[in-house]
């Protein structure tokens, strides 16, 4: 039996969905449905400070309104923390993680004081302050309070060798070192987006990750984690982001219309989905 094409929509419930989310969801949904495959809904609610139950309810309401249905139960990352913890322990046992005690302001001060602070896709790279602490210092400071865990990307890559992934038909060399030593478990959250998304795509049998181009570079880290944890690599299909008439990508902070707002204004969900399938914003929301 061939493996069924499986895609997913994986929103973080930190606000109401806007048209950009709907576009991504339609593309992932249609990719699976057109191939007789499965389309899954996963709620990425691992950030205790920002995820809210009312936004989860909003996501489900919005997708139903759009007429997009998913297969099986909704998955909640917040219910899978032991799975992520187990993977973290494996990476620790491989000697690839180190505890990091730096605060945001300490990192910022260190970067400001250094002559050449390298930058990656997410901003300045972590300067590596905690990478070389002695085992005694680590032990003492770990016992003293909460801390993050970072991946030693150089050691990890030395272990895996060069890695590649596919975006559509294009082979992409993975360059996770561009991000520096990423955080895999935060002080205040037991896992990170990178770790949870990588584990869940494998656990749910996702064959094709259809998501926005804003996550293209992060795929390099996901590929590295797959290699370290012995997980399969899905196909990636990053899509362009919808932009408004001025070329700005749709985002909550730039005032993109939420689906709830459109619904309240009497929008027709069938017409909206048809517009998104055609890669355009509904009339009235495109100023071009
Ligand atoms: N949860 C992520 C977000 O809302 C998306 C994760 C993914 O598609 O890989 O931006």
């Amino acid at each position: 039996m061939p493996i069924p094409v499986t895609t997913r929509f994986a929103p973080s419930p930190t606000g109401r969905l806007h048209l950009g989310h709907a576009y991504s969801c339609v593309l992932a949904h249609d990719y699976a449905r057109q191939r007789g495959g499965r389309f899954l809904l996963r709620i990425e609610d691992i950030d205790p400070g920002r995820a809210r139950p009312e936004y989860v309810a909003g996501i489900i309401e919005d997708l139903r309104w759009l007429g997009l249905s998913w297969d099986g139960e909704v998955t909640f990352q917040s219910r899978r923390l032991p799975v992520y913890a187990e993977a973290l322990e494996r990476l620790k046992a491989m000697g690839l993680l180190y505890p990091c005690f730096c605060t945001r302001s300490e990192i910022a001060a260190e970067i400001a004081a250094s002559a050449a602070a390298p930058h990656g896709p997410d901003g300045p790279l972590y300067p590596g302050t905690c990478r070389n602490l002695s085992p005694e210092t680590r032990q003492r400071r770990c016992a003293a309070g909460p801390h993050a865990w970072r991946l030693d990307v150089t050691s990890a890559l030395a272990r895996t060798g060069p890695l590649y992934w596919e975006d559509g038909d294009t082979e992409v060399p993975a360059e996770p070192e561009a991000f520096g030593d990423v955080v895999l478990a935060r002080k205040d959250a037991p896992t990170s987006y990178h770790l949870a998304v990588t584990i869940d795509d494998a656990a749910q049998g996702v064959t094709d990750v259809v998501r926005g181009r804003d996550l293209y570079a992060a795929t390099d880290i996901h590929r590295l984690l797959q290699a370290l944890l012995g997980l399969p690599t899905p196909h990636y299909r990053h899509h362009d982001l919808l932009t408004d008439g001025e070329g700005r990508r749709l985002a909550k902070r730039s005032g993109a219309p939420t689906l709830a707002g459109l619904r309240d204004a009497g929008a027709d969900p069938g017409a909206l989905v048809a517009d998104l399938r055609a890669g355009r914003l509904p009339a009235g929301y495109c100023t071009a």
Side-chain angles (χ1 to χ4, degrees), residues 2 22 29 38 46 50 57 77 84 88 97 129 151 158-159 173 202 207 211 240-241 257-258 277:
H29 168 273
R38 299 185 304 148
I46 47 171
R50 295 176 64 221
Q77 289 192 325
Y84 312 136
L88 269 182
L97 301 189
T129 323
L151 179 66
R159 189 173 176 120
T207 59
R211 63 182 175 194
D240 288 337
L241 302 178
T258 63
R277 283 201 170 110

Side-chain angles (χ1 to χ4, degrees), residues 215-231:
L215 292 168
Y216 183 93
T219 311
D220 289 354
I221 301 170
H222 305 166
R223 181 67 190 94
L224 175 60
L225 292 172
Q226 286 154 6
L228 295 172
L229 295 168
L231 303 174

Side-chain angles (χ1 to χ4, degrees), residues 18-21 23 214 241-245 247-257 276 281-282 285:
H18 57 64
L19 282 172
H21 294 115
Y23 180 56
D214 51 331
L241 302 178
L242 279 186
T243 52
D244 66 11
R248 287 175 308 201
R249 67 177 263 215
L250 296 181
K252 222 180 326 172
R253 51 181 182 280
S254 59
L276 294 173
L281 289 175
Y285 294 97

Side-chain angles (χ1 to χ4, degrees), residues 51 78 108 169 202:
S78 58
D169 294 331

